[in-house]
Amino acid sequence: MTERFNAAELLAVIAARQLHDDTTVFAGVGVPLLAAALAKRRHAPRLTMVIEGGIIGPEIAPGRLPVSTNEMRAGHRATMLPGITDAFLFAQRGFVDVGFMGGAQIDQYGNINTSVLGPDYWHPKVRLPGTGGANDIASLCREVIIVTAHEKRRFVERVDFVTSPAWLRGDDSRRAAGLRFGGVSRVVTTLGILGFDPDSKRMRIEATHPGVSTDTVRGNTGFTLLEAPRVEVTEPPSDDELAMLRALDPERRFLGT
Amino acid sequence: MGDPHLKPAEYDFIGARERAEAKRKSAGEKLTSLEEAVARVRDGDHVGVGGCLFSRTPMALMREILRHRRRGLTLSRNLTCNEGELFMAAGAASRIVTAWMSIGLPWGVSKILRHYVESGAVALEEWSHLALGLRFRAGAMGVPFLPTLTMLGSDLVGVGGLKTVQDPYTGETLAAVPALFPDVALLHVHRADRFGNCQIDGYPHMDADIARAATTVLVTTEEIVSEEETRRYPDRTVIPGFVVDALVHVPFGSFPHECYALYEADYDHFAEYTAAIDARGPAAVGEYLERYVYGPPAWSDYLDLFGGERLALRAKRAKELTR
């Protein structure tokens, strides 16, 4: 990585590029929401954001980024406030194309843990905040994209607890559990873009960021990664993308220093 | 994990129906005091809490429950903020039913959550955001469960004892989310008439479902309006008066949390609160309870601790944010 941008900026720009015009996206606060807002401003003006606070079609005002999905900033100039339950029911009905999520602990099948560390749920070594809407996004959106820093301690062979289901134990296990739709398609990280083998559903390297080797990606992952038939190299964030992104978060609330 | 954690009384739709039938469904006066309203809450009750995270939290009612030193309560709320921490530290709640708990992303993982749950002092029963919303909705509908496509396949299934059901038409497997009929609902709304017809602006959250699901409904309101005002905009009424048992007029009744378009949350207060916990650990919440809950007798005394200037600033900010 060069010094032109930091990790959060890289994640937001690469994630924004995954979104297409004339679609809908379920986005959590922080980098996912920044990425969605950037996509809408730059290349997807007919993108509709859905926020789990029960908000449809908000406009994210520069310098007024929400810190929670339920506070007033999250609903700035929204087109509808249906309430939390009904916002998720739009996803259950099939109206939400992409779910954008962060991850605390992620495994080789893309399952995410944001609940507990340690083997016993009722006596955890570390209690984390929990699912919030993440389980619902992972279960109900047509496609899920995870956006996360790439660290060995986060990328573990098996999560202690499956809070948000991706491909569960691989192969056909997601479908067998009754999860008829969706699933994680990509994991955008600070080192590259990961996808999943179409059959085994094990995680694989699909692209690396400029200057990052596949060995570096493997070295920062706690399980054996597969490799796509052709590993691409991503385009670095352009000055234009970075300027637009930075304008959205002038206080550096989520982009950091 | 599994069935032992299911609480049959929570989804007993027949018992809930009988309680609703037996309830006095009055179109009469509901206005009362916080003290009198909260006297209806008993030790061991399941308390459904309206609002979400630091939005429209029924803080005045919750503070009063803490002042009444209730014990063994279960709190259910979709996203639980520092009000849940106060109930943990006060020894008032022994179980929290929620999808997420902490103050919010900028304040990190709650150290109070960690302290009380990791030690086993408080049980945290986790459901997905939608699943908990559907539990309240099933309660509001008077049915024992609702089928849904969420929460399947995850380890959350085992935590609350979620069961699956086979669709009798297609044969597909669905989650059967059990109803949740709380003993008591605590809600804070923007306006109500004195008969308890309630209107909410901005985010509706799950308040209307929680009100219908619960046996006893306690409401605080920012503003009391005339009956004529209700009748002029009946489309804005989300909770009918006959559902409400007690109504209290409490301006700034969510503070330091926000009330849509009326006042912003006091982020500085969150920063002071978490800084004290960082410095002194869970004991800081005990000090907080003394200063903000047990000390000031009336809600107006509590608000005086913040001061009029601070409240006015938050009100001004809310107007700017929702203009």
Side-chain angles (χ1 to χ4, degrees):
Chain A
M1 201 187 308
T2 72
E3 287 169 7
R4 284 177 52 245
F5 45 83
N6 69 16
E9 290 172 337
L10 174 67
L11 284 177
V13 167
I14 303 293
R17 291 180 192 163
Q18 315 298 314
L19 296 175
H20 305 295
D21 209 3
D22 302 303
T23 63
T24 55
V25 60
F26 219 118
V29 294
V31 168
L33 191 63
L34 269 171
L38 174 62
K40 187 165 172 68
R41 287 186 167 228
R42 196 178 144 77
H43 65 266
R46 293 182 300 268
L47 175 74
T48 302
M49 285 182 251
V50 182
I51 300 184
E52 71 174 47
I55 299 157
I56 292 179
E59 288 178 351
I60 301 306
R64 281 189 178 181
L65 294 168
V67 296
S68 102
T69 52
N70 311 273
E71 62 132 317
M72 285 178 273
R73 288 174 191 78
H76 179 68
R77 287 176 50 79
T79 51
M80 183 177 180
L81 300 178
I84 296 161
T85 304
D86 286 280
F88 282 114
L89 291 177
F90 277 101
Q92 176 167 287
R93 177 65 182 88
F95 282 117
V96 182
D97 295 309
V98 177
F100 252 173
M101 312 174 31
Q105 197 187 44
I106 180 169
D107 72 14
Q108 59 180 329
Y109 298 110
N111 304 305
I112 287 182
N113 175 19
T114 51
S115 297
V116 289
L117 300 183
D120 182 355
Y121 174 87
W122 296 103
H123 297 92
K125 266 203 292 209
V126 179
R127 177 67 229 194
L128 301 170
T131 160
N135 173 283
D136 306 304
I137 292 171
S139 301
L140 303 175
C141 292
R142 195 192 69 190
E143 177 187 356
V144 169
I145 296 171
I146 295 168
V147 184
T148 179
H150 203 131
E151 298 163 344
K152 197 162 193 167
R153 64 181 183 95
R154 289 176 185 269
F155 283 73
V156 298
E157 186 159 2
R158 189 173 242 210
V159 288
D160 291 343
F161 185 93
V162 177
T163 308
S164 302
W167 303 109
L168 296 177
R169 300 267 169 266
D171 301 317
D172 191 37
S173 56
R174 180 181 170 94
R175 175 73 185 82
L179 292 165
R180 190 78 172 68
F181 314 102
V184 176
S185 60
R186 266 155 291 164
V187 184
V188 173
T189 82
T190 37
L191 296 179
I193 300 175
L194 308 163
F196 295 87
D197 178 82
D199 298 316
S200 73
K201 301 290 195 278
R202 280 177 57 200
M203 202 182 287
R204 67 184 194 184
I205 305 172
E206 299 203 333
T208 55
H209 297 320
V212 177
S213 70
T214 54
D215 278 351
T216 303
V217 178
R218 285 179 212 288
N220 285 281
T221 303
F223 51 86
T224 307
L225 278 168
L226 305 178
E227 218 168 277
R230 205 186 112 101
V231 174
E232 313 271 345
V233 176
T234 62
E235 280 291 322
S238 69
D239 291 344
D240 185 43
E241 286 171 310
L242 289 169
M244 232 177 217
L245 176 66
R246 288 167 184 161
L248 283 165
D249 187 11
E251 298 163 320
R252 313 288 301 178
R253 201 185 279 268
F254 295 108
L255 290 177
T257 49
Chain B
M1 303 227 293
D3 276 9
H5 298 285
L6 276 172
K7 303 275 186 293
E10 285 180 359
Y11 54 84
D12 173 16
F13 73 113
I14 296 167
R17 163 83 192 201
E18 285 166 358
R19 289 192 296 278
E21 287 189 2
K23 180 169 172 150
R24 182 164 169 266
K25 294 172 276 287
S26 173
E29 180 76 38
K30 302 293 161 55
L31 267 176
T32 184
S33 65
L34 282 171
E35 199 173 5
E36 201 273 333
V38 159
R40 292 166 168 84
V41 182
R42 291 181 301 265
D43 286 352
D45 271 355
H46 186 122
V47 179
V49 182
C52 194
L53 201 63
F54 51 79
S55 171
R56 221 160 30 69
T57 307
M59 197 64 89
L61 284 165
M62 299 188 82
R63 193 187 88 108
E64 193 65 25
I65 289 173
L66 291 173
R67 290 178 58 79
H68 278 62
R69 311 273 177 167
R70 290 290 178 265
R71 288 288 179 274
L73 302 174
T74 293
L75 294 187
S76 54
R77 191 176 199 218
N78 279 73
L79 305 181
T80 304
C81 194
N82 68 322
E83 77 290 341
E85 302 183 0
L86 302 184
F87 271 64
M88 285 179 169
S94 55
R95 178 168 164 252
I96 305 267
V97 178
T98 192
W100 196 89
M101 180 166 172
S102 279
I103 294 180
L105 294 186
W107 299 277
V109 178
S110 162
K111 292 193 162 99
I112 302 306
L113 163 80
R114 288 198 56 187
H115 177 79
Y116 286 96
V117 176
E118 289 168 17
S119 67
V122 176
L124 189 133
E125 185 182 306
E126 187 176 340
W127 295 79
S128 81
H129 216 4
L130 175 60
L132 193 46
L134 291 174
R135 293 195 66 187
F136 289 129
R137 183 153 297 172
M141 292 169 69
V143 297
F145 72 91
L146 279 175
T148 175
L149 304 174
T150 203
M151 243 179 86
L152 290 159
S154 73
D155 288 333
L156 291 175
V157 169
V159 170
L162 177 77
K163 297 184 181 190
T164 57
V165 65
Q166 194 184 17
D167 172 14
Y169 299 101
T170 65
E172 291 284 338
T173 299
L174 290 106
V177 177
L180 177 45
F181 295 102
D183 298 304
V184 181
L186 306 178
L187 311 170
H188 183 69
V189 303
H190 286 76
R191 74 188 70 79
D193 61 28
R194 63 197 178 94
F195 308 118
N197 297 298
C198 299
Q199 301 186 341
I200 291 171
D201 295 343
Y203 307 142
H205 299 313
M206 300 180 180
D207 293 49
D209 283 337
I210 297 171
R212 295 178 202 196
T215 302
T216 299
V217 178
L218 313 181
V219 181
T220 50
T221 180
E222 290 287 332
E223 187 190 0
I224 297 287
V225 296
S226 68
E227 183 187 355
E228 275 315 300
E229 188 73 4
T230 303
R231 293 186 185 280
R232 195 170 300 136
Y233 304 104
D235 54 317
R236 304 193 64 178
T237 302
V238 292
I239 301 166
F242 59 75
V243 162
V244 175
D245 295 275
L247 174 72
V248 191
H249 182 207
V250 188
F252 284 94
S254 283
F255 206 76
H257 293 187
E258 76 168 43
C259 191
Y260 190 93
L262 293 182
Y263 45 92
E264 192 189 23
D266 192 332
Y267 298 114
D268 296 337
H269 187 71
F270 293 158
E272 291 157 19
Y273 172 81
T274 50
I277 293 167
D278 289 344
R280 298 191 294 285
V285 185
E287 294 159 22
Y288 184 95
L289 285 166
E290 288 299 333
R291 177 164 162 75
Y292 287 96
V293 176
Y294 305 136
W299 185 251
S300 56
D301 302 318
Y302 163 88
L303 290 180
D304 284 346
L305 292 175
F306 296 93
E309 212 172 299
R310 197 156 172 165
L311 300 182
L313 180 68
R314 298 310 184 284
K316 182 167 165 274
R317 292 281 294 145
K319 283 198 181 63
E320 288 166 5
L321 287 170
T322 52
R323 205 160 28 210

